[in-house]
């Protein structure tokens, strides 16, 4: 329209000003994105376990993904895939949950010990009805945790198990006293006990873990927990799905006066693009509508966390019970041609951004969130590793976890953030999320840009003066980019040039659909 102005001197001037204004608007020059790092008197550590993972006897997570057996022609260490072991060591996996999930409430641990040829084969009723030969059991899991240097987190069967069975498992695993269970462990080749601190008592007991009412479950939890004893044990009570505060209130009411029985309350939240289990949306070959919906739905977790923390503050004002988000991640339709119940999906730049958003949210609530476990570690849902036969790929989510490792065990730096919206089809979400921490004299800020089309300029006011700044980025050319077997990685960690830092201020530009790490010293 401006080109239609009459060519007089006066109008030429106005024409130019309007052009310049429009150009500036397009370039986001007036964008109001700010991050202010707040010095804080409280000393909050980001628990390294926030970077935890989850492994279930589901699809090819355990068999094929982690464990191939000693006789496999896939290179292995005592049956564990060598490539996967190396990738997990590099990732610094802090904690690993096992054996489920829904599978846990059907799992009888004694099926998975002793000579492999004597172990019974069972049907995995939740996941594809496949045969479970129990060749990967307690020893295999706990030895694997030692091999990759991770803390084990065991899920106890309260659905089809008994208190006696649970007590014996705890004794078998952790006791150094003389008892029938410790003798059995020694007979099976393990002299000293393992160090297991985290015990989940049931899983999704409002659903696959027995379809229980909260009052019934909390009594069962109390019963189990009073016999599951050990120094420094962290026992986790089954909490809600997403925003179900009604469940949480009933559970915490039932724990009144007995809150020493639980140290953690679990919350599960999965990101489904459509929000519908019947048709969730594809993991690759999606358009911007699914990109937007996925990131919008993943951001809902912050509201659920806040609602739950408010309930927990009311019932447990001293904050003795921590929030544990022990299942989270994206959940899409299974990849075409894969088995029902195996939950196999690809992982793109969208998953990288979703992971960055969730991890920023968890970091910012590190005063009360002590653990989080992405579902699941290999070949199932939002995995960091995918395997096919001898091949393995590190997914975009892997690279985000690796880049965010700087936050493990670091001191949280609280921040105020103002962000533009990212709008699509009349709906809006915040374009940016961020979190910050300090460790060994380095301040690390991680930032996500959900906008797939436009970069964001951020003015950052820092909590002190720094002299150097550097950056790293996880992104791809397209929002659907992913890493594929036998091909060069399209989505990985690269260096990013971040402007200049001076007088406690930093101006930076965050590219579209990206996850960024800014390091200041
Ligand atoms: O992670 C897949 C399944 O999702 C788990 O087994 C269950 O706990 C949840 O519903």
């Amino acid at each position: 329209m401006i080109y239609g102005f009459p060519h007089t001197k006066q109008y030429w001037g106005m024409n130019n000003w309007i052009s310049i204004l429009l150009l500036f608007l397009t370039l986001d020059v007036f964008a109001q994105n700010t991050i202010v790092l707040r010095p804080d008197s409280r000393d909050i550590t980001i628990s390294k376990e926030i970077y935890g993972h989850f492994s279930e006897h589901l699809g090819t997570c355990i068999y094929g993904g982690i464990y191939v057996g000693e006789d496999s022609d896939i290179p292995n260490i005592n049956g564990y895939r060598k490539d996967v072991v190396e990738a997990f060591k590099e990732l610094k996996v802090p904690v690993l949950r096992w054996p489920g999930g829904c599978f846990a409430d059907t799992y009888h641990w004694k099926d998975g010990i002793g000579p492999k040829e004597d172990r019974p084969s069972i049907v995995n009723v939740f996941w594809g009805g496949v045969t479970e030969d129990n060749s990967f059991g307690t020893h295999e899991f706990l030895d694997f945790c030692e091999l990759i240097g991770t803390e084990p987190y065991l899920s106890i069967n309260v659905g089809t198990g008994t208190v006696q069975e649970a007590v014996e498992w705890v004794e078998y695993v952790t006791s150094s006293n003389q008892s029938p269970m410790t003798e059995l462990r020694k007979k099976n080749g393990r002299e000293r006990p393992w160090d297991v601190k985290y015990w989940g008592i049931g899983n999704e007991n409002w659903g696959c873990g027995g379809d229980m009412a909260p009052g019934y479950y909390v009594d069962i939890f109390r019963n189990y927990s009073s016999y599951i004893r050990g120094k420094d044990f962290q026992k986790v009570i089954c909490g809600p799905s997403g925003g179900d505060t009604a469940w949480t209130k009933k559970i915490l009411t039932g724990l009144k006066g007995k809150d020493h029985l639980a140290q953690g309350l679990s919350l599960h939240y999965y990101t489904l693009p459509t929000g519908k289990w019947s048709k969730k949306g594809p993991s690759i070959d999606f358009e911007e509508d699914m990109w937007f919906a996925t990131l919008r739905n993943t951001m809902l977790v912050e509201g659920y966390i806040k609602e739950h923390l408010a309930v927990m503050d009311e019932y447990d004002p001293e904050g003795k019970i921590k929030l544990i988000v022990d299942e989270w991640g994206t959940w899409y339709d299974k990849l075409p041609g894969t088995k029902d119940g195996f939950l196999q999906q690809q992982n793109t730049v969208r998953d990288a951004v979703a992971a960055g958003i969730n991890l920023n949210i968890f970091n910012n609530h590190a005063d009360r969130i002590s653990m989080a476990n992405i579902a699941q570690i290999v070949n199932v849902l939002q995995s960091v590793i995918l395997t096919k036969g001898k091949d393995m790929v590190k997914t975009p989510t892997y690279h985000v976890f690796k880049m965010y490792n700087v936050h493990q065990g670091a001191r949280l730096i609280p921040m105020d953030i103002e962000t533009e919206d990212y709008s699509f089809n009349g709906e809006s979400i915040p374009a940016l999320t961020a979190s910050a921490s300090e460790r060994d004299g380095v301040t690390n800020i991680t930032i996500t840009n959900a906008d797939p089309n436009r970069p964001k300029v951020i003015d950052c006011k820092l909590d002190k003066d720094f002299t150097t700044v550097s950056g790293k980025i996880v992104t791809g050319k397209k929002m659907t980019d992913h890493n594929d077997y036998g091909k060069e990685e399209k989505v990985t960690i690269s260096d990013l040039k971040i402007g200049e830092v001076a007088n406690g201020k930093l101006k930076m530009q965050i590219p579209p659909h990206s996850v960024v790490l800014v390091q200041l010293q």
Side-chain angles (χ1 to χ4, degrees):
M1 233 174 73
I2 53 171
Y3 299 112
F5 278 123
H7 292 186
T8 67
K9 213 175 169 193
Q10 185 192 4
Y11 281 112
W12 263 114
M14 191 186 292
N15 189 357
N16 284 346
W17 278 115
I18 292 171
S19 307
I20 288 166
L21 180 66
L22 281 178
L23 183 69
F24 270 46
L25 285 174
T26 326
L27 290 175
D28 275 346
V29 169
F30 296 129
Q32 280 310 296
N33 299 306
T34 57
I35 287 178
V36 178
L37 298 191
R38 275 194 272 122
D40 195 44
S41 51
R42 293 176 309 160
D43 221 354
I44 299 168
T45 300
I46 299 175
S47 158
K48 68 177 178 6
E49 283 79 14
I50 282 181
Y51 291 82
H53 293 260
F54 166 40
S55 56
E56 180 166 8
H57 287 241
L58 192 175
T60 53
C61 180
I62 302 291
Y63 302 111
I66 291 175
Y67 191 70
V68 286
E70 286 167 48
D71 299 334
S72 171
D73 54 1
I74 297 176
N76 67 82
I77 308 164
N78 299 334
Y80 310 112
R81 286 184 75 119
K82 209 164 173 284
D83 50 0
V84 168
V85 166
E86 277 159 15
F88 290 161
K89 280 188 176 170
E90 180 188 331
L91 196 57
K92 299 191 173 71
V93 173
V95 60
L96 185 58
R97 180 172 179 248
W98 177 83
C102 299
F103 181 78
D105 279 299
T106 62
Y107 184 63
H108 299 287
W109 68 272
K110 282 185 186 161
D111 290 349
I113 56 168
K116 293 200 175 170
E117 58 280 13
D118 297 342
R119 300 186 191 179
S121 285
I122 58 161
V123 176
N124 188 332
V125 288
F126 279 109
W127 306 118
V130 295
T131 300
E132 163 61 59
D133 71 1
N134 279 302
S135 55
F136 189 95
T138 300
H139 288 249
E140 289 73 21
F141 175 70
L142 294 174
D143 289 351
F144 178 64
C145 289
E146 284 188 344
L147 181 65
I148 63 166
T150 194
E151 292 266 359
Y153 170 17
L154 296 180
S155 270
I156 287 175
N157 176 354
V158 307
T160 62
T162 63
V163 178
Q164 180 63 23
E165 195 181 348
V167 168
E168 288 180 351
W169 199 19
V170 173
E171 193 176 302
Y172 185 92
V173 167
T174 65
S175 177
S176 45
N177 295 332
Q178 202 184 341
S179 77
M181 284 306 113
T182 57
E183 288 309 308
L184 185 58
R185 182 188 73 222
K186 289 175 195 165
K187 195 174 137 221
N188 288 332
R190 174 79 184 197
E191 188 61 31
R192 57 196 167 85
W194 291 276
D195 184 13
V196 179
K197 199 159 68 191
Y198 300 107
W199 297 90
I201 302 183
N203 169 75
E204 297 195 351
N205 302 91
W206 37 260
C208 67
D211 265 322
M212 300 177 191
Y216 178 69
Y217 166 70
V218 79
D219 280 345
I220 289 190
F221 173 85
R222 286 169 55 155
N223 187 196
Y224 271 74
S225 184
S226 35
Y227 294 103
I228 294 169
R229 288 151 177 249
K231 196 170 161 292
D232 299 331
F233 273 14
Q234 303 282 307
K235 293 177 279 188
V236 181
I237 189 165
C238 165
S241 167
D244 186 0
T245 48
W247 170 273
T248 308
K249 284 181 184 167
K250 286 184 184 137
I251 292 297
L252 294 177
T253 305
L255 262 193
K256 246 197 160 105
K258 298 285 172 195
D259 52 4
H260 63 281
L261 293 175
Q263 286 68 48
L265 176 114
S266 80
L267 181 149
H268 289 183
Y269 176 63
Y270 284 102
T271 301
L272 279 59
T274 63
K276 293 190 191 110
W277 288 101
S278 51
K279 195 156 182 38
K280 298 174 270 295
S283 58
I284 31 177
D285 299 330
F286 55 86
E287 305 287 340
E288 193 174 345
D289 56 342
M290 286 290 115
W291 165 277
F292 179 87
T294 306
L295 300 184
R296 176 197 61 206
N297 291 354
T298 220
M299 286 182 184
L300 294 178
V301 77
E302 180 148 40
Y304 300 147
I305 288 170
K306 283 183 177 162
E307 286 162 23
H308 276 85
L309 293 185
V311 171
M312 290 166 77
D313 281 347
E314 192 186 328
Y315 288 81
D316 171 30
E318 288 173 50
K320 285 185 281 190
I321 303 177
K322 303 291 180 202
L323 188 63
I324 292 191
V325 189
D326 58 12
E327 286 187 32
W328 68 272
T330 53
W331 194 324
Y332 308 116
D333 294 333
K334 73 179 179 97
L335 282 173
T338 61
K339 281 194 193 163
D340 282 341
F342 273 35
L343 315 187
Q344 271 178 279
Q345 59 190 45
Q346 247 298 355
N347 197 295
T348 66
V349 171
R350 172 175 60 167
D351 295 274
V353 177
I357 290 170
N358 279 275
L359 293 170
N360 281 339
I361 293 170
F362 302 154
N363 284 346
N364 287 328
H365 290 282
D367 55 335
R368 202 73 193 266
I369 297 182
S370 63
M371 192 197 293
N373 308 73
I374 190 169
Q376 298 191 7
I377 194 159
V378 192
N379 291 339
V380 172
L381 302 175
Q382 195 181 347
S383 304
V384 288
I385 295 286
L386 297 174
T387 66
K388 194 164 81 179
K390 285 184 177 169
D391 292 333
M392 181 197 90
V393 287
K394 295 174 178 169
T395 67
T397 301
Y398 179 97
H399 293 298
V400 170
F401 266 75
K402 188 172 165 202
M403 197 169 77
Y404 271 55
N405 270 348
V406 289
H407 291 305
Q408 285 195 24
R411 183 180 62 84
L412 176 74
I413 305 176
M415 65 164 67
D416 296 313
I417 177 165
E418 271 183 41
T419 163
E420 286 169 72
D421 282 341
Y422 156 44
S423 305
F424 180 80
N425 265 353
E427 272 191 87
S428 296
I429 56 172
L432 300 168
T433 71
S435 65
S437 70
E438 187 270 333
R439 196 175 65 190
D440 303 330
V442 182
T443 290
N444 292 293
I445 312 175
T446 44
I447 303 162
T448 60
N449 181 6
D451 189 331
N453 306 311
R454 303 202 307 169
K456 301 288 167 230
V457 174
I458 309 178
D459 285 312
C460 198
K461 192 164 171 292
L462 307 164
D463 55 343
K464 54 182 174 194
D465 278 346
F466 293 94
T467 48
T468 62
V469 59
S470 61
K472 293 191 187 311
I473 184 166
V474 175
T475 189
K477 288 204 178 90
K478 293 185 285 157
M479 60 176 151
T480 50
D481 274 358
H482 55 276
N483 297 334
D484 218 343
Y485 302 103
K487 296 188 183 146
E488 202 188 319
E489 283 190 331
K490 280 188 180 167
V491 188
T492 187
I493 304 177
S494 315
D495 289 333
L496 176 70
K497 205 166 161 17
I498 299 276
E500 296 283 301
V501 62
N503 306 322
K505 287 188 182 151
L506 170 69
K507 196 178 193 78
M508 55 193 168
Q509 178 160 301
I510 308 297
H513 56 63
S514 71
V515 187
V516 165
L517 166 68
V518 179
Q519 301 199 279
L520 295 145
Q521 256 178 307

